[in-house]
Amino acid sequence: MTTMTAHTAADGTRRQTTPHRRPRPRALANRRPEPAAAMPAVLADDSLITTGGHPPHVHDFHQFLYVPLGTITVSALGQDHELTASVALWIPAGIVHSARFGPDALVVSESFDAALFDLPYAEPTPVNVTDSQRALLLGRMRSSTAEPDDPKAFAALADAHPDSLPLPQPVSPAALAVARGLARDPSDGRTATQWAAGLYTSSTSLRRAFRAETGMAFSEWRTRLRLNHALYLLDQGQLVGLVAAQVGFVSTNGFILAFRRYFGRTPGSYAQQQTGGTT
């Protein structure tokens, strides 16, 4: 098993810098089946990849897909997942998927033997890429001595909370400064106008940057960040009201409504399930 990077250049030429992992002959009888309506799949083969993407196929290994430059869209189980420099995708073994490559997309793929590694996801799952994970992935991409099926790499890449909401990161200086500030302190209650004043920009420019670079409004982005932080606090058994205050919600009721909107259940129900006790 090796890492793979693919680059679709402006002239339409696709360059592959390291070999793509060849599929193993292991039977897929025990893998999760694709719904009957899906297109017929074949084992992954480099010859299927074009400058525009990869038709429906399946791996018998777990795959971690990351796109440090450009974007790609992966379709699996009836859902589309857009991958960027801040949102990657875990694809469990046995899941039929296809991909569409954006112009100049650079794709990094890490594969892990399904018989050796227990992936905490049963379906394709977007995960937010941290700075340390990005450094790890790019370092392995450049390295000629990176070991396949590296347990340390797997542990680092599978470390995200399984219920975290995808949270694309902005890239423009002002918006990125706000994102990093809120990541350090989710309870920071400054409005977009107040953030903008401190960064010597306009609130309109700041809001536009969040919308254009993350695909969501500043308020929604901040809510998702706060809810992601809340997951870890709830896992620790902290009370719902205390968690709400720590992550920046003005009221416990507002926190409960937001949590239910994004996760389909109340934080109390979630905490009870995680701890096996009462909240």
Side-chain angles (χ1 to χ4, degrees), residues 5-241:
T5 63
H7 177 263
T8 304
D11 61 3
T13 302
R14 184 178 177 281
R15 303 182 180 89
Q16 182 172 306
T17 57
T18 57
H20 190 286
R21 169 184 162 165
R22 290 293 179 186
R24 298 182 179 84
R26 187 185 305 116
L28 299 180
N30 295 324
R31 304 301 182 198
R32 178 188 179 121
E34 179 71 6
M39 296 177 61
V42 296
L43 287 176
D45 190 319
D46 284 352
S47 64
L48 299 172
I49 302 176
T50 69
T51 57
H54 203 170
H57 61 285
V58 66
H59 302 291
D60 62 346
F61 51 84
H62 302 315
Q63 185 178 37
F64 184 90
L65 282 179
Y66 176 56
V67 188
L69 294 174
T71 62
I72 70 171
T73 300
V74 177
S75 301
L77 300 182
Q79 293 189 10
D80 290 340
H81 305 279
E82 182 174 346
L83 310 189
T84 67
S86 55
V87 177
L89 184 72
W90 271 111
I91 305 175
I95 298 292
V96 177
H97 60 283
S98 61
R100 301 190 303 273
F101 302 150
D104 301 317
L106 176 65
V107 181
V108 177
S109 174
E110 291 277 357
S111 54
F112 299 92
D113 192 324
L116 300 177
F117 296 93
D118 184 17
L119 190 65
Y121 311 110
E123 298 182 351
T125 302
V127 292
N128 300 313
V129 179
T130 65
D131 289 341
S132 60
Q133 289 172 331
R134 175 182 172 84
L136 170 69
L137 289 162
L138 295 183
R140 288 177 59 82
M141 181 185 73
R142 293 189 294 262
S143 174
S144 60
T145 60
E147 291 293 329
D149 286 332
D150 187 334
K152 291 184 178 179
F154 179 82
L157 297 176
D159 188 46
H161 196 290
D163 296 316
S164 287
L165 300 166
L167 195 68
Q169 297 295 302
V171 294
S172 59
L176 182 57
V178 174
R180 288 177 172 171
L182 286 170
R184 290 191 296 269
D185 180 13
S187 67
D188 192 317
R190 279 178 285 179
T191 64
T193 299
Q194 292 169 324
W195 277 106
L199 295 168
Y200 305 100
T201 187
S202 70
S203 61
T204 300
S205 296
L206 183 61
R207 292 178 188 276
R208 284 177 177 169
F210 266 91
R211 174 69 72 179
E213 296 166 14
T214 70
M216 61 190 76
F218 167 73
S219 58
E220 181 183 354
W221 190 95
R222 182 176 58 185
T223 296
R224 284 173 170 252
L225 174 94
R226 288 173 170 175
L227 291 174
N228 283 347
H229 278 261
L231 292 173
Y232 291 97
L233 299 178
L234 291 169
D235 285 351
Q236 297 169 12
Q238 297 195 29
L239 297 177
V240 171

